[in-house]
């Protein structure tokens, strides 16, 4: 069974920069895994932030960016805002099957 | 923009079959540009991918659920459906249907989700 691993929790100060990562138990993450990132606030439906590694959805603020970093998928928030406090999930593609990461709870404090 | 709406019972008894339907509006389910997906999220936990279906009829399943899951589509009604057999309390979750763009695999539309509780 494939496992996708995220930091369980991270804390960042308003205005700061933070990078969330997703690792795959199969090895280095590549663009062929079509990494996606989702933001979910309590009681809300997840929203797509990033797809295909680096592409932003139409609503995604400019301060969010996606990349591959050290064999992992990464989501970087630059100039964090209080409204960025949320759960963040990544999703990887494995030739037909998909696996979510366990999520990162981002606290803005 | 496509809109998706899940429907089905909110309460299912243990050992019975969970059945949900997703009705798609604003686009054809027969389009080769998209594929159709079920995702679930247990209370307080992260999402879990369940299955995909393509307009060709090709399907893919989460290996941990494969033996219990059926996904199908009804092009005449512009709907796709999920059946999960032999449910237990562990299958209690919000179930979402989503559309994904074929080339980029972007999840571009989410249903609002429907809570299914497994309980006697």
């Amino acid at each position: 069974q494939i496992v996708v691993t995220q930091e369980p929790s991270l804390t960042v100060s308003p205005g700061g920069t933070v990078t969330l990562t997703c690792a795959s138990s199969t090895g280095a993450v590549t663009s062929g895994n079509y990494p996606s990132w989702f933001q979910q606030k309590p009681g809300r439906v997840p929203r797509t932030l990033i797809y295909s590694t680096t592409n932003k959805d139409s609503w995604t603020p400019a301060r969010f960016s996606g990349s591959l970093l050290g064999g992992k998928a990464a989501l970087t928030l630059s100039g964090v805002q209080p409204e960025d406090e949320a759960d963040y999930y990544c999703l990887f593609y494995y030739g037909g099957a998909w696996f979510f990461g366990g999520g990162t709870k981002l606290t803005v404090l | 923009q496509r809109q998706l709406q899940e429907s089905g019972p909110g309460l299912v008894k243990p050992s019975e079959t969970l059945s949900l339907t997703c009705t798609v509006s604003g686009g054809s389910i027969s389009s080769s540009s998209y594929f159709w997906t079920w995702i679930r999220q247990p209370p307080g936990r992260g999402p879990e991918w369940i299955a995909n279906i393509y307009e060709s009829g090709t399907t893919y399943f989460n290996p941990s659920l494969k033996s219990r899951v059926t996904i199908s589509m009804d092009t005449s009604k512009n709907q796709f459906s999920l059946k999960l057999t032999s449910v237990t309390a562990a299958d209690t979750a919000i179930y979402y249907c989503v559309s994904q763009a074929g080339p980029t695999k972007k999840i571009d539309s989410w249903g609002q989700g429907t809570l299914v509780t497994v309980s006697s």
Side-chain angles (χ1 to χ4, degrees):
Chain A
Q1 178 79 336
I2 294 169
V3 177
V4 178
T5 302
Q6 298 184 241
E7 299 87 0
S9 63
L10 291 170
T11 300
V12 61
S13 299
T17 296
V18 64
T19 297
L20 289 64
T21 67
C22 272
S24 172
S25 63
T26 64
V29 178
T30 72
S31 60
N33 293 119
Y34 293 88
S36 292
W37 290 91
F38 305 91
Q39 181 191 68
Q40 188 177 33
K41 296 186 177 181
R44 304 294 296 274
V45 177
R47 292 202 293 178
T48 302
L49 272 170
I50 301 288
Y51 63 96
S52 295
T53 309
T54 61
N55 295 281
K56 297 180 185 183
D57 205 332
S58 57
W59 75 275
T60 304
R63 61 184 179 274
F64 289 85
S65 63
S67 64
L68 295 176
L69 194 65
K72 300 179 183 181
L75 176 70
T76 299
L77 289 70
S78 304
V80 172
Q81 301 296 306
E83 61 265 30
D84 297 333
E85 184 163 293
D87 294 325
Y88 293 85
Y89 298 97
C90 61
L91 176 64
F92 291 161
Y93 174 72
Y94 295 90
W98 296 81
F99 290 88
F100 280 95
T104 296
K105 183 175 185 61
L106 183 67
T107 300
V108 181
L109 198 60
Chain B
Q1 178 82 357
R2 276 161 311 287
Q3 293 191 328
L4 292 84
Q5 178 67 59
E6 305 88 352
S7 59
L11 181 65
V12 181
K13 290 183 167 55
S15 79
E16 294 190 345
T17 295
L18 179 160
S19 296
L20 295 173
T21 296
C22 183
T23 300
V24 179
S25 58
S28 172
I29 199 172
S30 300
S31 170
S32 60
S33 299
Y34 296 93
F35 58 100
W36 311 94
T37 298
W38 286 99
I39 291 167
R40 70 180 184 179
Q41 186 169 24
R45 298 179 60 184
E48 178 182 37
W49 172 76
I50 301 173
N52 292 131
I53 187 166
Y54 290 70
E55 50 83 25
S56 63
T58 300
T59 56
Y60 296 95
F61 300 95
N62 186 315
S64 67
L65 298 171
K66 184 174 183 177
S67 63
R68 298 195 291 132
V69 172
T70 303
I71 187 171
S72 60
M73 58 197 310
D74 185 337
T75 56
S76 67
K77 296 180 180 178
N78 223 37
Q79 296 175 333
F80 65 105
S81 298
L82 173 74
K83 290 189 188 299
L84 179 65
T85 62
S86 305
V87 298
T88 69
D91 295 310
T92 294
I94 298 173
Y95 286 75
Y96 296 101
C97 57
V98 308
S99 61
Q100 292 186 253
T104 64
K105 307 194 190 307
K106 171 190 174 187
I107 293 181
D108 61 352
S109 293
W110 293 74
Q112 67 182 29
T114 187
L115 175 63
V116 179
T117 301
V118 178
S119 175
S120 55

